[in-house]
Amino acid sequence: MEGTQTAAGAAFPRVRMRRLRASGTMRRMVRETRLSPDRLVLPLFAIEGRDARVPIDALPGQARMSPDLLAATARRVFAAGVPAVLLFGVTDRKDAAASAAYDASGVVQTAVAAIKDAVPEMVVVTDVCLCAYTDHGHCGVLVDGHVHNDMSLELLARTAASHAEAGADVVAPSDMMDGRVGAIREALDAEGHEGTSILAYSAKYASAFYGPFREAAGSAPGFGDRRGYQMDPANGREAVRETLLDVAEGADMVMVKPAAAYLDVIAGVRAATDLPLAAYHVSGEYSMIKAAAERGWLDERTAAMEVLTGIARAGADLLITYYAEDAARWIAEEDA
Ligand code: PBG
């Protein structure tokens, strides 16, 4: 970022950085990063039933909803300018083979159809994982107490294909099994879904910030943790390797998750690939701001916009955030 502008002699008092900060208009003119509602993706949680809405304690303002209410929500947020939602399924139907994950009349499949029916232009992304559907809560198939990589691939691919069949525009594998992007691409193509995109959770870390989500989705592992497949928060270079492997396997878009504590990773992945890059501002990152704001310790809107701007500044194209609807409104107000 060193430029010719900072040649010898260009220093105080000739240079005064405050000049360009003097007025609001000036600040807007020289602003480097501008959020747009077009970048936002809102995560939603699907449950079975009708007219069902169950608030999520650990995610203030968010709720699990039945397909009819999800469709109404999708209509509202699309009108507010948010172009996409990311769907998660929540169900009591759990077994060793995660069979509810790839059931054609499963909770995600039903919700996708309802949303696409209500708002055809909305981009519907589905989270592809097994953890909400396995009786042990791990993201793949267990063999001798271990998550078996290659056996999990078939079920993940089947799940992704069933989401595509239901109308998903984008499938987003979040399981962190090796080779799943390739396996999913193959299954999609074999079943005539060559137009369905893959957004790979390429660099997904074993993070404490998923805590509120696991309450929301009922997907906490019954034993152990996810460190056998999710990344070590200490590793940055590995994120680039993971991403390039997903690109080679056919990912259309890639992701870094979480976001706010991983800005260097976002910047590193940004430099390594030209694919659209998403960053997931996860549940705990959202709830932290909510909790502090509730106590009056910080201003919610300013804090949330600062964090989202930071994530975009680091190089993310798409921001997956529980703040999507609020942020779309805040951006519109700022632009007004
Ligand atoms: C499923 C999945 C998780 C999240 C997204 N997909 C939880 C996990 O890996 O334990 C977390 C999202 C959030 O915290 O907002 N594997």
Side-chain angles (χ1 to χ4, degrees):
M1 256 184 249
E2 69 203 79
T4 49
Q5 310 93 301
T6 48
F12 180 81
R14 263 204 204 167
V15 174
R16 291 182 182 269
M17 297 302 286
R18 291 178 54 187
R19 282 184 199 123
L20 298 186
R21 300 177 194 144
S23 77
T25 313
M26 190 70 87
R27 287 170 76 92
R28 288 170 63 98
M29 277 179 69
V30 299
R31 184 161 295 154
E32 296 176 28
T33 306
R34 214 168 288 272
L35 293 181
S36 157
D38 290 336
R39 290 174 173 272
L40 301 171
V41 181
L42 176 68
L44 290 175
F45 298 92
I47 53 175
E48 280 128 25
R50 261 199 76 75
D51 201 24
R53 187 177 189 283
V54 186
I56 303 162
D57 286 345
L59 278 174
Q62 308 297 315
R64 309 171 191 89
M65 287 178 275
S66 52
D68 52 326
L69 297 190
L70 288 172
T73 302
R75 204 178 277 125
R76 188 187 70 230
V77 303
F78 190 79
V82 178
V85 292
L86 168 59
L87 264 187
F88 294 93
V90 187
T91 180
D92 295 331
R93 292 174 50 213
K94 297 172 193 279
D95 58 33
S99 48
Y102 40 88
D103 178 348
S105 51
V107 60
V108 166
Q109 291 80 354
T110 310
V112 169
I115 293 172
K116 288 302 286 185
D117 196 43
V119 201
E121 312 93 318
M122 182 138 227
V123 172
V124 177
V125 187
T126 57
D127 182 87
V128 174
C129 198
L130 304 182
C131 59
Y133 309 92
T134 50
D135 46 18
H136 45 72
H138 278 287
C139 301
V141 178
L142 275 195
V143 178
D144 297 333
H146 262 85
V147 177
H148 194 289
N149 192 87
D150 299 13
M151 281 175 63
S152 304
L153 295 183
E154 191 207 322
L155 299 186
L156 289 161
R158 224 196 277 181
T159 302
S162 79
H163 291 178
E165 185 63 33
D169 302 289
V170 183
V171 292
S174 68
D175 52 284
M176 289 303 275
M177 298 302 123
D178 288 316
R180 86 270 208 225
V181 172
I184 288 172
R185 186 70 269 161
E186 216 169 278
L188 290 173
D189 291 353
E191 296 185 29
H193 300 302
E194 61 281 336
T196 307
S197 308
I198 299 175
L199 163 58
Y201 283 74
S202 298
K204 177 173 175 181
Y205 288 87
S207 172
F209 292 103
Y210 307 151
F213 173 94
R214 291 179 188 168
E215 181 218 302
S219 66
F223 67 91
D225 54 44
R226 303 208 201 290
R227 284 182 289 187
Y229 38 103
Q230 297 183 349
M231 286 176 60
D232 182 344
N235 291 2
R237 297 189 302 265
E238 187 185 347
V240 171
R241 271 190 90 194
E242 278 281 9
T243 302
L244 295 180
L245 286 169
D246 286 350
V247 173
E249 288 178 32
D252 298 284
M253 300 181 274
V254 293
M255 190 196 301
V256 172
K257 172 188 174 187
Y262 295 84
L263 298 179
D264 59 318
V265 176
I266 294 171
V269 170
R270 167 76 297 153
T273 175
D274 291 327
L275 265 63
L277 171 60
Y280 196 148
H281 185 242
V282 301
S283 57
E285 298 180 294
Y286 167 86
S287 296
M288 261 189 328
I289 299 177
K290 281 278 178 194
E294 254 168 42
R295 294 185 169 208
W297 289 350
L298 46 72
D299 179 70
E300 182 180 16
R301 172 174 172 165
T302 320
M305 288 296 275
E306 183 176 331
V307 172
L308 294 178
T309 300
I311 296 167
R313 191 192 60 234
D317 299 305
L318 301 174
L319 309 176
I320 304 173
T321 169
Y322 302 93
Y323 272 118
E325 188 177 6
D326 291 325
R329 203 177 54 244
W330 294 332
I331 295 164
E333 283 171 16
E334 265 169 35
D335 287 348

